[in-house]
Amino acid sequence: MQLAYFPGCSAKGSSLDYELSTQAVMAALGITLKEIADWNCCGSTPAHAVSSLLSSALCARNLDLAARAGADLLATPCPSCLSNLKATSKRLEDASFRQKVNALLDAPCAETLPKTTSVMQAMAELVSLDELAQKAKLSLKGLKLVAYYGCLMSRPAELMQFEDPENPMLMERMLTALGAEMLDFPLKTACCGAAFGIPQRPLTAKNSGRILELAANLGADAIVTCCPLCQMNLDLRQAQAEKAMGRRFALPAPYYTQILGLALGLSPEDLGLAKLVVPMDGLLAKLTPKQAPLASEAPSSEVSE
Amino acid sequence: MSSDRFLAHTAIGDFLEGLVQTGYTVYCPQKEPGVRQSVIFAPWQKGLPISLEKATVAPKHLVLPQSEVLFRYSKHKESAEPAKQSLTLDANEIFTPTLLFASRPCDARGFAILDRPFLQGLFRDPYYARRREALCVVSLTCPSGCATCFCHWTGAGPSSPEGSDILMTEIAEGFVLQGITDKGKELLLASKLPEAGEKSQEATKARKAAWQSLSPVQDLSTAPQKLAEIFADQAFWSQATQACLACGACTYLCPTCYCFNITDESLDGENEQGVRLRSWDTCMAKQFTEEASGHNPRPDKAQRMRNRISHKFSSYPENWGSFSCSGCGRCVTHCPVGLDIREIVLKAIHAKTAQQNEKETS
Amino acid sequence: MRIGVFICHCGSNIAGTVDCAQVAAKAALFPDVVYATDPMYTCAEPGQAAIEEAIHSHKLDGVVVASCSPRMHEPTFRKTVERAGLNPYMFEMANIREHVSWIGRDIEANTRKATELVRLAVEKLRHNRPLQAQEFPITRRVLIIGGGVAGIQAALDCADGGIPVVLVEREATIGGKMAKLDKTFPTVDCSACILGPKMVDVAQHPLITLYAHAEIEAISGYVGNFSVSIRQRTTYVDWSKCTGCGTCTEKCPSKKSYDHFNEGIAPTTAITIAFPQAIPKKAVINKDFCRQLNGKKCAVCAKVCPTGAIDFAMEDSFVTENVGSIVVATGYDLMDWTIYGQYGHGRYPDVITSLAYERLMNASGPTGGHIVRPSDGKEPKSVVFVQCVGSRDPAIGRPYCSGFCCMYTAKQAILTKDHIQDSQSYVFYMDIRAPGKMYDEFTRRAQEEYGTHYIRGRVSQIFPDGQGQLTVLGMDTLLGRPVEIKADLVVLAVGIEASRGARELAEKLRISYDAYGFFLESHVKLKPVETNTAGVFLAGVCQGAKDIPASVAQGSAAAAKVLTLFARETLASNPQIAQVTAKRCVGCGKCLRCCPFGAIKSSLVKGEEKAEVIATMCQGCGLCTATCPQGAIQLAHATDDHILAEVNALCRL
Amino acid sequence: MPALANNELRIVGFLCNWCSYGGADTAGVARASQPTDLRIIRVPCSGRVDPLFVLKALLNGADGVLVSGCHPRDCHYGTGNFYARRRLEVLKRFLPILGIDPARFSYTWVSASEGQRWQKVVSRFTEEIHALGPAPRFEAVEPLAKACSWTQESKGPVSVISPELLEQLKKAIADKLPELDCVLGWQEGRDLLHSVPLFIRSEDDLTKLRCDATCHNNLVRYLPDLKGQKVGIIVRSCEARSVVQLLQEGLISREELVVFALPCQGLLDLPRLEEALGRYQRLEDLTLTETTLRLRVDGQERVFQTADFRQSRCEQCPGELPAIADQSFGDFSGQTASQTLPPELAFLDSLNLQERMGFWRACMERCILCHACRNSCPMCVCRDQCIAESREPHWQSAEASVKEKFFFQIIHALHLAGRCTGCGECQANCPVGLPIFALRAHLNRIVSELFDGYQAGCDPKAVPPLLTYSQEEAHIHERSWE
């Protein structure tokens, strides 16, 4: 299986561990990520704050590259990138807007552009929960986790088409399949404070703090993330959040791909676990080898492998 | 000096164009493609192709349009005094000189048949008269008979001049045009066409050949009397018309049917106004004789068919001394259910009258 | 014909953007118009008198009035011309206000349009013929659908006025929403204490027939003579035997049934009597929870019933009632607030609806009037009330205000303090809507006397904090900053919507409903109780949000309409019905097939099958006329010729 | 009255009294400003709107027509708008074949409470009509006559009935004849090529019976007039469908009817054959096989390929004989459904709107209003009461203008919507060869699209689709102005 892939800028910098774990997990699941050649910035926050047209043109170029590479579906791990890609696709439906964008590009954008999706949804589409469970080497049994999607993955709902915008359950389904106990987490789509971590640190600290506090109160072993910026706020800035809330959390905030990777038996190095600021040692210790399935349940595919 | 003129095949366009230049509206047979090819008399313009085939619809609309405005009426009043109004009538008086080119003798004979009631009866119809006066008929001798026509039964033939102003007969390279009426002769004399000279004899030969091609003639002379005798024979007429659909194809295609209806049609405008129309009507329709009370003296198609046939072969001859049928055969050709007027008339001639029947049974 | 035309100025309503004098001058030139004028107010007494006078002095035999919508004043002017001796149907209206002067500012275009609409009316009138109404007898009984407070009021007023009443209630008891309430605003008097006696009156009134646990299956007929089929939904209890003793409810072993009456705040038994004051006080088995009806051996109720009333084989039955008029009082339901993910989609037990809160406070409720949290039974000390949950929210397609939530929230805040002295209530609100008598004072009391903390702003999220409380995040728009409140209990003032099944019922009644399912009154201001279907009236919230006094008032108003209708022995039929020209009819029966009312029958005329219209059944829709290919059946005053005249008047100019 | 100022167009609205007229009132009360072009005609119900009113307006100069009623399920009269929806949708799809832009007509639903929606509807529709500009006038459009030509695509066989089969049929009829008033069949007409209806009342009549591909008359046309008599009729697939349709409409009685069914592969198109023959006096020695027609014309042997002269009606034949026959003769297995478009319809399809209108304009100049099309139609059951000629209702002026003639053709066609069994008699009998079957074939196509492949006359138990409704229409997507 092949999947056209748009990593996004943070994949090559701040969220290298997301990138590593995504690549590793997808490979383990038999999916080859085909990174589109010569991609550029998605036109995210800083760009579209200045010019939404230029921002869309940046995205259009990426979509065009993917289209020319023959992709009909393009996946990205980053919710923000996805949001921009989707918004641009939508805006390009308007002929006059497309004209303006084309004027900014070297060559007119391809007529038919690939659909876009999150790596998470693509994964769920390509690999069933049963298959996922079969491929797992370790069990997450005994882990209490909360899934945190951030505010962008599912909103705006019409655009993102990501589950119930207020209560997405995709990570819960995946991780439950691997044995984890997923706690109901009401703040799973709350705002972490996002890029305000720089201009308005207290705001982000408060927002992230509230999220971490609830997770801690619920007794979670970790808060599982899927957005590079959220992860940064919850992990790198956890100390700031602790200060704001006046208590200590020590709550690991790994990417869901890292947790999946662990269950699939991938090494901590492959998954970039060392990059996490709040260590996952306690959690790693709880992992147990998966019990061999009963003979009758043994799937034939596994035998043939 | 003979007015006979020669019109070469190649010169038809120029001849007609000359007539158009002198102010005639020229009607020619023109082929109309369709699911069934039809030939229609339509105004001719330079460059339009001309067909010399027999037209599908007889040219009677030139003297009796499918519908014509007899007059316009219009009521007028002032805003200040709306209860008081005046009425003005505005009769249609525009009649342009018209030339009918290449009609057939049976078509032309139709005009002669229409002329009698419209021009020679108690009332001279001014609308008809003005149109007829403005019309010049140039007929083309039929080269032969056809499967449905029967002009020779009705007292005419493929080169009968009756109703025509000019008779044209086709010969090798063109046509000989022969003036029949003064109007026709004058037109020919005024034309730039070469004199026919020797060619007139060729034309005479052609006409004779046409007559010789006809099927044997049937004697219809007893028809007026026989039809009068079987007028009340409902069984005869029912039997003869059971397939009839009571449409109007026969009457509207006919060169001699002239029944019409008169209606007022309002036109919308600021004030009240409208037109009085005369439009073709058909005796084959139930409404034709429907009275305001709802009573209808001819409720069945049998009675209506009886009317049509009796009018043509009995009552018209009684009044005017001639059949009101020119034998063009259009009603036979185009009847959806193939009713054949020839067959009905012949059957009538050979039918036993009620008295004869009585005698036989007693 | 001699037609008079009256172009109404309607003060400046029409004359402001239409040159009425010019329209009148043009109209004078139209065919058959012998008189045209432009009065100031045609519908006013002098205006009507002027029409009558003109009919006499100009010997008019037809009148056109160009003014407002015929839906407004056509009946008025028909009476006017009738007073002057004309047949009321020799009258036509041109709507040059709603359709012209009020929707465009271009005087030239408006004047032209008005002139053409007048021409249209004149051309139509020229085809009018005098029509005569027929008198037909009426059934002087009324059907009231819905036994909430509005329906109860309408039933009692009608019955007291001597009209037999058929009252149909979907639930097992009448009383509606009001029966669930603890206290009522602004007096804080006991709801059951004021409603209870009325419910008893219904039960005891000799002229009221009550069908509870029943629904309307089908309705046919027309004003004066409706035939109603009522589905008596099975209760599995023979009510003719049930004494309401309650033994069965005590012994029933299935104790986890959903308690609809108590809004699910506590489970109940499978066989229940809704509440002690229920009317009728009869038991009903909830099929979903009954062990016997779900294939398990039980039948405890049947064993303990002293009168042998339990009947597990019982099925729905049908009754037909003939009535002359119908009052619809079907009330409302709460919208499904669980669509709000930010309030937890219904996952958190301590986020409840205000109606459930009423049951928590109510002494006859499952907690005996003790306010406790559904999750752990503890007394809440911090209660947050959230207003406008599903009201005034265009994002979910509910832009309308539910009307009474502001008031009951104030009441609930007050009662919370009464019940739990050391509690603190918070109210998140958008605006406080308290326009009724003593209402604003009441909400002030909640704030000033009872210390309720009112916060103007919406709640963005409610979630459990993991430590037993709920975190309520919101915005204080007056202070312009976010607020975060820890709550023990959150009460949502959930918006109302039309009662479930309202649309289907409207379709049976052939009345209209708006985009939200509320029934449409005939005129927003002048006919708030009538519907567009003659003989069908509205009462209560089914027509739109209103509180108890307004519902009661509309119930009485509907009853007054019924009594007015029944003040006569007979009704005049609408003579604008279909007529057959037998001569043109070929007896193909296409009209019979299409007629929505079965008002056309086939009959033999001179041995031939012809259509015949049953005058009293025809409602004048004209479907038959549009169906008949030969134009043999023509709807009077909307004949082909009428409409053709109008089309021609517009198109051939 | 002055013509509309040049910036206004002629837009006619038909609004039901209860919902949409009220909605327009609501919009007015709310002072919701609207373009001034629209003129409203108040009707009791959208079901009252005969599609012919819309066409009358469009032909007489309206630039746009809008019909608005209560929302489906919300009809004041219960079901009126359900019927309207079907009829108006058929109308909308019918317009293009006449050369009228379907965008000039729209129908929608506006309730009495939806003032805003009404404002939106009026504004949008008026904008759309302005975008189209003034409508072309039928009487003023350039006639497109000479471009009218098409080639017959058909290559199918025509019917030949073997002498043995004919004898079988004659015997069966002879057996039944004593209990019947008459049996309808065909006989030779004025010559070998022309067959005409035969009313068999005696054994002697029976000897004249002929049943081959020259027998084009649809005998079902006579049945309603014979109501009350016991009649036998010989049918092929197309006549059988006409019988079924009349039974559905209750215009004939099954008990009075004995149906003798024959198989059929196709019929000869006599007008085109006549055209190929030219003027002749005598026809002799006709032999007809499925593929060739031989005959001697004025002494000369002529041979034609029957496939070149198959009737266009046979191109849409559903093939199968509806279950209506009392007695069947011969082998019906060769009858298969044909789905080819009739050539006249394919030709019209290939034209743009303007050309289509020009085409019909040219056709109507030839129409003489003889009504042979109508009177030969087995489904034209109004007979003498046709609204094209009545004075009350006064649908048509007696003026023989192209517009009035065209309107007559439209009446005929629309009255056949969902009822036309495709026998093609209308066109076959037109003296001036107007391709009016195309209008019916197009309507049949619309009805089939909208109502799950419905074909008139195939099922005796079916209800003609325009005489019924369904609450949810599977193939009608009402236009909304959301």
Side-chain angles (χ1 to χ4, degrees), chain C residues 69 116 507 532 584 641, chain D residues 10 17 25 73 76 385 394:
Chain C
S69 172
E116 290 187 22
E507 284 154 15
N532 276 333
R584 297 187 65 80
D641 279 349
Chain D
R10 179 60 72 196
N17 177 54
D25 282 354
R73 294 170 174 276
H76 180 72
Q385 306 302 341
H394 191 35

Side-chain angles (χ1 to χ4, degrees), chain C residues 13 26 30 68-72 74 78 92-95 97-99 102-106 108-110 112-117 119-120 124 129 503 506-507 509-515 520 525 532-534 583-590 593-597 609 619-632 634-635 638-641 643-644 646-653, chain D residues 1-5 7-8 10-12 14-15 17-19 21-22 24-29 31-45 47-51 53 56-58 60-62 72-80 83-84 87 111-114 137 227 248-251 381-383 385-387 390-395 403 415 419 462-464 466-468 471:
Chain C
N13 276 309
K26 291 269 188 190
F30 294 158
C68 50
S69 172
R71 285 164 55 94
M72 177 98 159
E74 194 173 53
R78 280 200 172 135
E92 285 298 331
M93 257 182 115
N95 183 346
R97 192 177 75 176
E98 284 84 344
H99 292 187
W102 278 353
I103 59 167
R105 308 213 142 274
D106 179 343
E108 198 188 320
N110 279 359
R112 194 164 53 232
K113 185 174 178 184
T115 311
E116 290 187 22
L117 292 183
R119 177 63 184 267
L120 203 75
K124 182 160 189 246
R129 301 286 174 270
R503 286 176 173 80
E507 284 154 15
L509 287 161
R510 298 192 301 272
I511 62 175
S512 303
Y513 49 87
D514 67 16
L520 219 57
K525 278 148 278 182
N532 276 333
T533 298
K583 192 180 73 173
R584 297 187 65 80
C585 176
V586 299
C588 66
K590 294 184 178 76
R593 209 192 295 248
C594 292
C595 177
F597 305 98
E609 296 232 336
Q619 299 297 295
C621 66
L623 186 55
C624 54
T625 313
T627 302
C628 177
Q630 63 271 25
Q634 292 286 339
L635 175 62
T639 62
D640 286 348
D641 279 349
I643 298 174
L644 284 169
E646 292 177 280
V647 170
N648 290 339
L650 286 181
C651 292
R652 297 210 309 222
L653 291 173
Chain D
M1 200 167 299
L4 284 177
N7 56 343
E8 268 186 6
R10 179 60 72 196
I11 304 177
V12 179
F14 293 93
L15 272 65
N17 177 54
W18 303 99
C19 293
Y21 196 93
D25 282 354
T26 305
V29 170
R31 311 296 199 275
S33 71
Q34 296 156 43
T36 49
D37 311 47
L38 179 80
R39 309 283 185 266
I40 292 170
I41 294 175
R42 182 166 71 131
V43 291
C45 175
R48 172 67 188 92
V49 182
D50 190 325
F53 289 133
K56 191 84 189 171
L58 288 173
N60 277 358
R73 294 170 174 276
D74 194 18
C75 177
H76 180 72
Y77 300 105
T79 53
Y83 288 95
R87 295 168 185 182
S111 82
S113 66
E114 292 176 326
R137 300 294 179 101
K227 207 173 176 193
Q248 278 181 15
E249 298 184 21
L251 287 157
V381 292
C382 304
R383 293 292 147 86
Q385 306 302 341
C386 179
I387 57 166
S390 71
R391 297 295 290 181
E392 191 181 351
H394 191 35
W395 279 89
K403 202 168 72 179
H415 278 178
R419 303 172 60 235
V463 179
L466 296 192
L467 294 177
T468 181
Q471 296 205 339

